[in-house]
């Protein structure tokens, strides 16, 4: 049997990490993998996470199974964090999932179950895992224009034109904030136009929110998701705690199915639980319990918010420093988009041969589509990157 297996395409980011590790140069900069790193290059365990883990360790008396949907207290706390009071709780079905990836996977499976002929509209580009999971599930995908290679902002006109091709029942996948991989985001006026289009054409909104608190602030980053959730007939929201709680390996995510028809919610909830049962039975609990502990304890929550804010501001500071340095060295404003982008990533819009040149000649590693992880920089390495970008003529 095993001889029938075919090699699967290698993950480009993991291959890049390997190359970085094997690069013997002292002066090298890793802007590849999508994890937050502090100025020392470390992905720290957040203070509130450590404290909550201790609390869970002291207080937990059983590790018996939770429910198929995970602990309802986790769903409540996360719904509150993401949606505030934008949508009545009675309209929301929710299950814990293994990370945001698990939430996306379950969302796609729910769509396939409910409407096998639905097409999923994905931004071009989008997080590569969206594309590979949809391909693996055999679901039809349509790419909509998103990134404007000229301005490095959103090609909003192109996006709207492409979304107009969607048929009733098709799903529009949107990044709630901090678009990965581009860093370019819609403003709220544009979001409203997307909502109007979704409603006019009878489309289903799906939001992937993986970086709440990394862009403009916890509340600000949730604004678009709240707008969509409170304005459309039905939507799916896939959320991840990996980045904003720094619990990457604990696999902590949530999937919500929201319906304006509260009578539908019982069936939505049991279908989500069924899908969990088919794929892994019970979702992981430890990360979810830690997140719940933090969100439900005023002191831990305040400390978490403060540390998250430090993380956000440090990335904004690096963005501004890089944009300023590039302005100084190039004498032009063409890199100002770096300070306008939000989240951990920016696509700088360099051709693959220039990305390769950065790696070979300067030991600077970024993904081939020229996505760089801003958190891979620090105040000392920003000038080195800026000089390299200008020297190779990006
Ligand atoms: C857009 C987007 N969605 C979802 C995820 C899911 O992350 P995880 O499965 O680690 O929670 C990521 C992580 O990189 C992401 O960038």
């Amino acid at each position: 049997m095993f001889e029938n297996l075919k090699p699967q395409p290698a993950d480009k980011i993991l291959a890049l990490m390997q190359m970085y590790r094997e690069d013997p140069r002292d002066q090298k900069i890793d802007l590849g993998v999508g994890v937050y790193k502090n100025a020392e290059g470390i992905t720290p365990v957040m203070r509130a996470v450590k404290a909550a883990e201790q609390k869970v360790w002291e207080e937990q008396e059983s590790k018996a199974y939770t429910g198929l949907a995970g602990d309802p207290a986790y769903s409540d706390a996360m719904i509150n964090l993401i949606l505030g009071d934008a949508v009545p709780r009675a309209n929301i079905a929710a299950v814990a999932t293994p990370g945001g990836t698990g939430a996306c996977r379950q969302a796609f499976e729910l769509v396939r179950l409910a409407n096998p002929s639905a097409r999923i509209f994905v931004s071009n580009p989008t997080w590569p895992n969206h594309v590979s999971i949809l391909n693996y599930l055999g679901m039809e995908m349509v790419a909509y224009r998103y990134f404007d290679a000229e301005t490095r902002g959103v090609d909003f006109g192109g996006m709207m034109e492409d979304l107009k091709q969607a048929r009733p029942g098709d799903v529009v996948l949107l990044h709630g904030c901090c678009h990965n991989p581009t860093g370019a985001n819609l403003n709220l006026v544009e979001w409203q136009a997307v909502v109007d289009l979704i409603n006019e054409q009878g489309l289903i909104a799906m939001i992937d929110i993986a970086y709440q608190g990394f862009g403009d602030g916890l509340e600000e980053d949730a604004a678009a998701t709240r707008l969509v959730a409170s304005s459309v007939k039905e939507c799916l929201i896939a959320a991840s705690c990996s980045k904003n709680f720094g619990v990457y390996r604990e696999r902590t995510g949530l999937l919500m199915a929201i319906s304006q028809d509260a009578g539908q919610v019982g069936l939505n909830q049991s279908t989500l639980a069924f899908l969990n049962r088919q794929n892994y039975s019970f979702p992981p609990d430890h990360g979810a319990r830690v997140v719940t502990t933090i969100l439900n304890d005023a002191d831990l929550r305040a400390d978490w918010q403060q540390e998250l804010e430090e993380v956000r501001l440090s990335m904004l500071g690096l963005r501004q420093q890089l944009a300023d340095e590039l302005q100084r060295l190039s004498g032009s404003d063409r890199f100002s988009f770096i300070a306008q982008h939000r989240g951990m990533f920016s696509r700088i819009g360099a051709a693959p041969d220039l990305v390769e040149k950065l790696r070979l000649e300067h030991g600077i590693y970024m993904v081939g589509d020229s996505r760089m992880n801003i958190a891979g920089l620090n105040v000392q390495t920003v000038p080195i990157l800026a000089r390299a970008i200008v020297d190779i003529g990006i």
Side-chain angles (χ1 to χ4, degrees):
M1 173 186 79
F2 294 143
E3 69 276 11
N4 296 325
L5 295 175
K6 296 184 186 67
Q8 299 297 333
D11 185 301
K12 290 195 187 106
I13 299 179
L14 298 185
L16 195 73
M17 274 166 76
Q18 182 68 19
M19 271 200 280
Y20 176 82
R21 260 186 253 118
E22 288 167 3
D23 187 333
R25 286 174 285 191
D26 287 335
Q27 177 58 62
K28 51 180 181 172
I29 305 176
D30 177 12
L31 306 179
V33 68
V35 296
Y36 171 74
K37 288 186 254 178
N38 64 17
E40 287 77 46
I42 290 165
T43 305
V45 181
M46 294 179 88
R47 296 184 300 261
V49 168
K50 273 266 183 220
E53 283 187 314
Q54 180 154 15
K55 205 163 177 237
V56 169
W57 181 78
E58 279 164 3
E59 292 173 8
Q60 190 168 55
E61 286 182 341
S62 173
K63 286 197 184 283
Y65 292 124
T66 55
L68 281 177
D71 181 357
Y74 168 68
S75 295
D76 289 345
M78 284 293 287
I79 288 169
N80 185 268
L81 177 70
I82 298 163
L83 294 178
D85 55 10
V87 179
R89 182 67 181 86
N91 294 69
I92 308 172
V95 285
T97 56
T101 308
C104 288
R105 168 72 188 244
Q106 299 296 75
F108 296 149
E109 291 210 22
L110 183 77
V111 171
R112 193 173 57 170
L113 204 59
N115 181 7
S117 61
R119 302 175 302 168
I120 317 290
F121 279 64
V122 296
S123 61
N124 179 19
T126 189
W127 182 46
N129 236 8
H130 289 150
V131 176
S132 67
I133 295 174
L134 285 165
N135 272 331
Y136 182 67
L137 291 173
M139 294 175 72
E140 195 180 340
M141 214 178 335
V142 182
Y144 60 84
R145 274 171 285 173
Y146 187 80
F147 188 64
D148 184 332
E150 203 51 49
T151 63
R152 272 85 155 171
V154 177
D155 174 5
F156 188 65
M159 173 177 175
M160 292 297 275
E161 248 177 57
D162 290 349
L163 291 183
K164 282 189 187 127
Q165 307 308 313
R167 299 189 290 254
D170 283 343
V171 175
V172 183
L173 176 50
L174 301 149
H175 297 222
C177 63
C178 306
H179 185 271
N180 178 8
T182 68
N185 299 288
L186 304 183
N187 61 39
L188 278 177
V189 175
E190 293 166 332
W191 273 102
Q192 182 62 57
V194 172
V195 164
D196 293 342
L197 185 141
I198 285 172
N199 284 335
E200 278 154 25
Q201 297 195 205
L203 312 179
I204 307 294
M206 172 172 164
I207 298 195
D208 180 355
I209 180 160
Y211 299 91
Q212 188 184 354
F214 269 37
D216 291 309
L218 268 178
E219 295 297 304
E220 293 83 346
D221 291 348
T225 303
R226 292 174 187 180
L227 173 70
V228 173
S230 61
S231 324
V232 300
K233 194 164 158 261
E234 292 179 340
C235 74
L236 290 159
I237 300 175
S240 167
C241 299
S242 299
K243 321 283 159 137
N244 54 3
F245 288 87
V247 290
Y248 304 83
R249 66 176 65 167
E250 301 298 350
R251 312 311 300 134
T252 311
L254 187 83
L255 174 61
M256 291 180 238
I258 302 180
S259 172
Q260 273 183 12
D261 173 7
Q264 177 65 41
V265 174
L267 184 56
N268 292 353
Q269 185 65 47
S270 61
T271 307
L272 290 179
F274 166 81
L275 284 173
N276 267 5
R277 181 70 171 159
Q278 305 322 304
N279 284 326
Y280 37 76
S281 261
F282 299 90
D285 179 71
H286 180 73
R289 199 155 294 274
V290 165
V291 165
T292 312
T293 303
I294 294 170
L295 292 176
N296 288 341
D297 178 299
D299 292 340
L300 290 180
R301 187 177 181 129
D303 189 42
W304 167 69
Q305 283 188 206
Q306 191 189 329
E307 191 170 359
L308 180 60
E309 190 63 2
E310 287 159 16
V311 163
R312 186 180 80 81
L313 292 176
S314 85
M315 287 187 293
L316 276 187
L318 291 166
R319 285 187 176 283
Q320 194 59 54
Q321 188 195 353
L322 181 57
D324 291 347
E325 190 69 8
L326 283 164
Q327 206 278 339
R328 198 176 65 78
L329 293 176
S330 70
S332 101
D333 285 333
R334 69 178 194 280
F335 296 104
S336 60
F337 67 88
I338 291 173
Q340 276 136 33
H341 283 174
R342 284 294 177 272
M344 213 152 65
F345 305 112
S346 267
R347 178 187 260 209
I348 59 170
D353 59 317
L354 293 183
V355 173
E356 175 99 337
K357 233 173 156 183
L358 274 178
R359 182 172 63 77
L360 294 174
E361 294 177 12
H362 298 272
I364 295 170
Y365 287 70
M366 58 177 73
V367 184
D369 65 359
S370 79
R371 180 192 88 167
M372 59 177 175
N373 178 2
I374 296 291
L377 291 165
N378 59 42
V379 286
Q380 283 80 34
T381 53
V382 164
I384 300 170
L385 172 64
R387 164 63 51 215
I389 287 176
V390 171
D391 279 357
I392 66 166
I394 290 177

